[in-house]
Amino acid sequence: MAPSSLHLLTLSFLLLLASTPISDGLELGADGGGGGLYREILRDETVRRLKELGQISDGEGYLERTFLSPASLRATGVIISWMEDAGLPTWVDQMGNIHGRFEPANSSKEALLIGSHMDTVIDAGMYDGALGIICAISALKVLKVTGKLQRLTRPVEVIAFSDEEGVRFQTTFLGSAAVAGTLPESILQVSDKSGTTVQDVLKLNSFEATAAALGQVKYSPESVGSYVEVHMEQGPVLEALRYPLGVVKGIAGQTRLKVIINGSQGHAGTVPMKLRRDPMVAAAELVVTLESLCKEPHRFLTYDEECGCFTEESLAGLVCTVGELTTWPSASNVIPGQVNFTVDIRAMDDKVRETIVTSFSRIVLQRCDDRLVDCAVQHKHSAPATPCDPELTTQLELAARSALSNTMTSPGGGGGCSAEAERTPPVLMSGAGHDAMAMARLTKVGMLFVRCRGGVSHSPEESVLDDDVWAAGLALLRFVEHQNVAAAAEEEEEL
């Protein structure tokens, strides 16, 4: 198809989605997806499954499910059963990712991948990661029970990634990076706190644990058309806007540092203040300096007219966090000999992030020199900002608006009112990292955010309204259907 024809087809499809109900092609049925069967699967059953998965834990009295832990293996069996219930043939790859895929007969189209992660942080909530997996399974189950799954023209695959949080091995995106083909062979030798390596864990769970096996997990870019992820927002913006869903324009880049400060260990009562080389005081000063640097960057940075990287827009979303601080020997009556702390710097503008990292590293060395302590700054992780595909973002926005027009106005729908449903879903940036960051190295990506109470995440206090879960599932269903309507129209045009 000529580029001009493809552009006109895409434009026509988007106009159709914006102006008409989904009664053409793969119709939702008489209730428009706003009640009955759709509500039972996309809301009630999805919420029940979220609660069930949230009970599968390695911790006693709290949720913890890390990479290939005993709980993750139990969760794998449950997720596979749900995928099979949705009519999807399943398999587990050599990195422990769970796949459920519908493959149309004689289809040459690129696959739509939908996914999120099954692992959790320690003392987690039940929505982070799991929401995206179960919403996707539920959307495809609706297609199965309504007899429409076999009418799909494009392969659709749900992936439950084995590791995104990086809790066990302090390395994020083990699952999705393997699928994207960006996971280095050296990852096999990375060890957890007990000294167990990734390779050891894989072998213990009957995986091959070789570089060649990791290569088998990789998808070819030619076989994948796009990747979409549903995720709770993990922030307070949607709640403040009183809107259930939002689309994501991009994911902030991230740099993780470790600052190591060595001073002179000594007795708390005998070393005079003027003679101390106290790494704790230096660390405290640097933590406060980092806060100032990121709250008021114009005080520290010079605006660069050429790159334009320090405009108010480019600085929006800049955040810096010290999340972990350790001391040695950590006794109340001892001046510490060493203090270490972590630094997490995120921004949508990579030049801003890199400049903040460089400026802070320079400040660390200056302040430590002033206080006669020795410092080192280790770079532990760096990931560039990830823009979402504009066309996918538009399609998700239209699907969300269409879904909300049903769930927010139907009988029993508690998500809001019809006036709110007519509003355009907000477009947000994500300060948190997601599997979409890794998958962007493979294909174009899109993300749909779901409102959460108080913006709380990585906590048992995570909470998403049942009706918002419903809205997210219905939006994803409509997106999948229209992806296939577009594929069918494109195929017909080519013929």
Side-chain angles (χ1 to χ4, degrees), residues 17-272:
L17 178 58
S19 59
T20 64
I22 197 165
S23 57
D24 296 330
L26 297 165
E27 70 277 1
L28 278 174
D31 68 0
L37 174 65
Y38 291 84
R39 184 166 61 241
E40 162 59 27
I41 296 174
L42 298 175
R43 184 185 70 179
D44 301 343
E45 183 174 76
T46 299
V47 171
R48 286 196 301 270
R49 288 176 169 181
L50 282 164
K51 292 177 180 177
E52 181 180 346
L53 194 60
Q55 295 299 311
I56 302 176
S57 173
D58 290 303
E60 287 290 338
Y62 63 91
L63 177 56
E64 175 187 345
R65 196 170 55 242
T66 57
F67 178 63
L68 292 184
S69 69
S72 76
L73 299 179
R74 296 197 302 273
T76 294
V78 171
I79 292 171
I80 286 174
S81 71
W82 293 339
M83 287 180 172
E84 291 174 345
D85 179 52
L88 306 177
T90 65
W91 72 96
V92 179
D93 67 31
Q94 289 293 318
M95 190 47 78
N97 300 311
I98 311 167
H99 303 253
R101 181 179 176 107
F102 173 76
E103 189 83 42
N106 302 318
S107 174
S108 60
K109 297 299 180 183
E110 301 162 329
L112 166 63
L113 306 182
I114 312 170
S116 196
H117 59 98
M118 61 181 288
D119 67 316
T120 74
V121 296
I122 298 171
D123 197 22
M126 68 180 186
Y127 295 93
D128 185 1
L131 177 64
I133 297 169
I134 301 174
C135 274
I137 294 172
S138 296
L140 292 184
K141 181 175 179 178
V142 167
L143 294 177
K144 176 199 171 187
V145 300
T146 54
K148 299 166 188 171
L149 186 63
Q150 298 299 323
R151 295 167 58 188
L152 296 183
T153 58
R154 168 170 287 163
V156 179
E157 182 174 323
V158 180
I159 308 178
F161 294 114
S162 59
D163 176 276
E164 184 255 19
E165 301 288 2
V167 170
R168 184 168 187 178
F169 291 98
Q170 299 299 298
T171 302
T172 58
F173 308 132
L174 289 180
S176 49
V179 171
T182 60
L183 199 64
E185 295 179 14
S186 59
I187 196 67
L188 292 172
Q189 303 310 318
V190 173
S191 59
D192 61 17
K193 292 180 180 179
S194 70
T196 304
T197 66
V198 172
Q199 188 172 54
D200 294 335
V201 171
L202 289 169
K203 287 182 176 179
L204 285 170
N205 289 282
S206 301
F207 295 107
E208 292 180 28
T210 64
L214 289 185
Q216 296 171 12
V217 180
K218 177 184 177 181
Y219 280 38
S220 67
E222 296 78 18
S223 68
V224 180
S226 56
Y227 170 80
V228 169
E229 183 169 353
V230 173
H231 205 283
M232 61 179 292
E233 182 194 354
Q234 299 181 284
V237 176
L238 288 173
E239 186 178 55
L241 294 174
R242 298 175 59 83
Y243 209 85
L245 304 176
V247 291
V248 181
K249 65 179 179 181
I251 304 170
Q254 179 188 39
T255 297
R256 290 182 181 178
L257 309 173
K258 182 177 181 180
V259 179
I260 302 171
I261 309 174
N262 289 295
S264 293
Q265 185 174 323
H267 195 292
T270 62
V271 182

Side-chain angles (χ1 to χ4, degrees), residues 175-460:
S176 49
V179 171
T182 60
L183 199 64
E185 295 179 14
S186 59
I187 196 67
L188 292 172
Q189 303 310 318
V190 173
S191 59
D192 61 17
K193 292 180 180 179
S194 70
T196 304
T197 66
V198 172
Q199 188 172 54
D200 294 335
V201 171
L202 289 169
K203 287 182 176 179
L204 285 170
N205 289 282
S206 301
F207 295 107
E208 292 180 28
T210 64
L214 289 185
Q216 296 171 12
V217 180
K218 177 184 177 181
Y219 280 38
S220 67
E222 296 78 18
S223 68
V224 180
S226 56
Y227 170 80
V228 169
E229 183 169 353
V230 173
H231 205 283
M232 61 179 292
E233 182 194 354
Q234 299 181 284
V237 176
L238 288 173
E239 186 178 55
L241 294 174
R242 298 175 59 83
Y243 209 85
L245 304 176
V247 291
V248 181
K249 65 179 179 181
I251 304 170
Q254 179 188 39
T255 297
R256 290 182 181 178
L257 309 173
K258 182 177 181 180
V259 179
I260 302 171
I261 309 174
N262 289 295
S264 293
Q265 185 174 323
H267 195 292
T270 62
V271 182
M273 297 299 292
K274 290 184 179 181
L275 298 180
R276 297 187 179 196
R277 296 176 58 242
D278 189 343
M280 180 65 80
V281 178
E285 184 177 0
L286 288 170
V287 171
V288 174
T289 298
L290 177 68
E291 181 191 41
S292 298
L293 178 61
C294 294
K295 285 179 69 175
E296 304 174 284
H298 290 296
R299 287 181 51 202
F300 297 86
L301 308 179
T302 303
Y303 176 77
D304 189 328
E305 192 71 40
E306 182 178 347
C307 76
C309 55
F310 303 137
T311 62
E312 289 299 324
E313 181 179 359
S314 67
L315 290 171
L318 170 64
V319 291
C320 303
T321 304
V322 173
E324 181 179 355
L325 188 147
T326 60
T327 69
W328 178 262
S330 192
S332 62
N333 62 343
V334 179
I335 303 167
Q338 185 181 85
V339 175
N340 303 333
F341 64 90
T342 61
V343 175
D344 184 310
I345 299 172
R346 308 189 190 205
M348 274 303 299
D349 189 309
D350 286 331
K351 290 181 180 179
V352 167
R353 177 174 51 84
E354 291 163 3
T355 303
I356 293 292
V357 170
T358 300
S359 299
F360 180 67
S361 299
R362 184 178 64 250
I363 291 170
V364 167
L365 298 179
Q366 290 173 347
R367 299 291 170 82
C368 287
D369 188 55
D370 292 342
R371 289 191 170 274
L372 302 178
V373 294
D374 299 319
C375 287
V377 179
Q378 297 179 350
H379 288 243
K380 307 298 287 185
H381 172 74
S382 183
T386 303
C388 291
D389 179 72
E391 183 177 345
L392 287 176
T393 300
T394 298
Q395 292 171 2
L396 285 168
E397 179 182 308
L398 293 171
R401 184 171 179 175
S402 177
L404 290 168
S405 69
N406 290 123
T407 60
M408 297 175 74
T409 59
S410 66
C417 64
S418 57
E420 287 178 319
E422 291 302 314
R423 291 163 49 196
T424 300
V427 178
L428 313 174
M429 64 158 283
S430 174
H434 300 285
D435 288 300
M437 295 184 77
M439 295 298 286
R441 305 285 293 274
L442 173 69
T443 187
K444 59 186 180 181
V445 300
M447 285 196 71
L448 186 70
F449 269 171
V450 187
R451 173 173 57 186
C452 58
R453 186 178 63 193
V456 175
S457 182
H458 285 186
S459 162

